[in-house]
């Protein structure tokens, strides 16, 4: 079974600074997707960024980028120019891309609570 | 295009009562997933349904929990005889189809409190 580990329960960053959230995962599969979700106080789950394991290039979405290290099974999220609205719980998630298996299940880490200080 | 709708947003039940949580998927989506988020935890998969079919309920407790997605109307997650340990946020997600390349869109969740 796949597992996702987020070793930082809480992180804080100054507004306009950069912060990196860590995520490691364990899988025996070679084809999969990785995600970062944001959960603000409203509790709505918002997809921040997605990475396909077969792609070597790291995904980027505006101020959000990832550092995907497949061999190390590491998937960190970098938030540049942090804004007050970035304050939220961030979840790392894994999803298999293997056909015929349980490739619809998202497996989540326990989350990292990000505080942005003005 | 409305997103995934869940109601109620908050539900309070006394121990032993029944809880019914509703999920209306996005327009055009026929695949629904339920996840549960216990306090201080990430979301955990419960069940995957297509219209009139349960595809995978491996994440759902064997007793007291059931789910359905009828041909017409919303998907329902039903918890009978609730206990304090059922207190959690329950999220529904939907997708246009079940393949791994298709994104799941989440609803705002229902927070169940059992007193």
């Amino acid at each position: 079974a796949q597992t996702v580990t987020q070793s930082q329960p809480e992180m804080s960053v100054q507004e306009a600074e950069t912060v990196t959230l860590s995520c490691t995962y364990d899988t025996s599969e070679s084809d999969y997707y990785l995600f970062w979700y944001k959960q603000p106080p409203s509790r709505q789950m918002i997809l921040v960024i997605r990475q396909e394991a077969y792609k070597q290039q790291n995904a980027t979405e505006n101020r959000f980028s990832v550092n995907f290290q497949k061999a190390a099974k590491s998937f960190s999220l970098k938030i540049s120019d942090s804004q007050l609205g970035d304050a939220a719980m961030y979840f790392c998630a894994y999803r298999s891309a293997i056909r015929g298996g349980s490739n619809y299940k998202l497996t989540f880490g326990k989350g990292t609570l990000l505080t942005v200080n003005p | 295009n409305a997103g995934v709708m869940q109601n109620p947003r908050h539900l309070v039940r006394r121990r032993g009562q029944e809880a019914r949580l509703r999920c209306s998927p996005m327009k055009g989506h026929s695949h629904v997933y339920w996840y549960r988020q216990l306090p201080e935890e990430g979301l955990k998969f419960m069940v995957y349904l297509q219209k009139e079919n349960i595809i995978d309920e491996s994440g759902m407790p064997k007793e007291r929990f059931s789910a359905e997605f009828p041909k017409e109307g919303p998907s329902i997650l039903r918890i009978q005889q609730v206990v304090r340990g059922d207190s959690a946020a329950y999220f529904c997600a939907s997708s246009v189809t079940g393949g791994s390349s298709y994104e799941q869109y989440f609803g705002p969740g229902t927070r169940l409190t059992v007193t």
Side-chain angles (χ1 to χ4, degrees), chain A residues 35-50 64 77 85 87-91 108, chain B residues 43 91 103-108:
Chain A
F35 305 84
W36 279 97
Y37 282 87
K38 172 184 177 181
Q39 187 181 48
S42 68
R43 303 189 73 88
Q44 175 78 52
M45 292 291 286
I46 302 165
L47 178 63
V48 175
I49 200 163
R50 158 180 157 151
F64 298 86
L77 174 70
M89 183 73 85
Y90 285 82
F91 292 98
F108 289 85
Chain B
L43 281 68
F91 288 89
E103 184 179 338
Q104 294 178 17
Y105 293 84
F106 282 85

Side-chain angles (χ1 to χ4, degrees), chain A residues 9-117:
Chain A
E10 296 183 25
M11 291 282 284
S12 64
V13 64
Q14 290 296 125
E15 198 174 2
E17 298 291 310
T18 295
V19 64
T20 298
L21 308 184
S22 301
C23 172
T24 58
Y25 58 95
D26 189 25
T27 184
S28 58
E29 297 175 336
S30 59
D31 199 11
Y32 48 86
Y33 299 92
L34 295 165
F35 305 84
W36 279 97
Y37 282 87
K38 172 184 177 181
Q39 187 181 48
S42 68
R43 303 189 73 88
Q44 175 78 52
M45 292 291 286
I46 302 165
L47 178 63
V48 175
I49 200 163
R50 158 180 157 151
Q51 174 80 43
E52 290 88 345
Y54 67 86
K55 288 186 177 179
Q56 292 188 345
Q57 188 171 5
N58 289 323
T60 300
E61 286 288 340
N62 300 314
R63 298 182 295 107
F64 298 86
S65 61
V66 298
N67 184 4
F68 173 48
Q69 302 288 327
K70 192 172 184 179
K73 295 181 182 173
S74 169
F75 182 61
S76 61
L77 174 70
K78 186 170 85 170
I79 306 174
S80 304
D81 186 25
S82 297
Q83 300 175 1
L84 295 177
D86 295 333
M89 183 73 85
Y90 285 82
F91 292 98
C92 179
Y94 171 100
R95 186 174 174 187
S96 171
I98 304 296
R99 280 193 176 187
S102 303
N103 60 7
Y104 40 82
K105 286 185 189 178
L106 283 161
T107 300
F108 289 85
K110 289 191 174 184
T112 296
L113 180 62
L114 178 66
T115 301
V116 181
N117 301 310

Side-chain angles (χ1 to χ4, degrees), chain B residues 16-66:
Chain B
Q17 290 185 319
E18 178 180 289
R20 292 171 72 90
L21 288 62
R22 294 175 188 77
C23 168
S24 296
M26 285 180 69
K27 188 175 181 181
H29 288 193
S30 59
H31 297 247
V32 165
Y33 316 82
W34 286 93
Y35 292 83
R36 179 166 69 172
Q37 183 180 28
L38 293 169
E40 312 297 323
E41 298 281 329
L43 281 68
K44 289 195 178 350
F45 170 83
M46 297 181 75
V47 61
Y48 165 33
L49 309 107
Q50 295 178 24
K51 289 277 188 183
E52 300 183 282
N53 279 310
I54 298 174
I55 306 303
D56 181 353
E57 56 183 349
S58 61
M60 208 149 67
K62 295 285 187 285
E63 297 179 357
R64 303 186 298 107
F65 285 72
S66 63

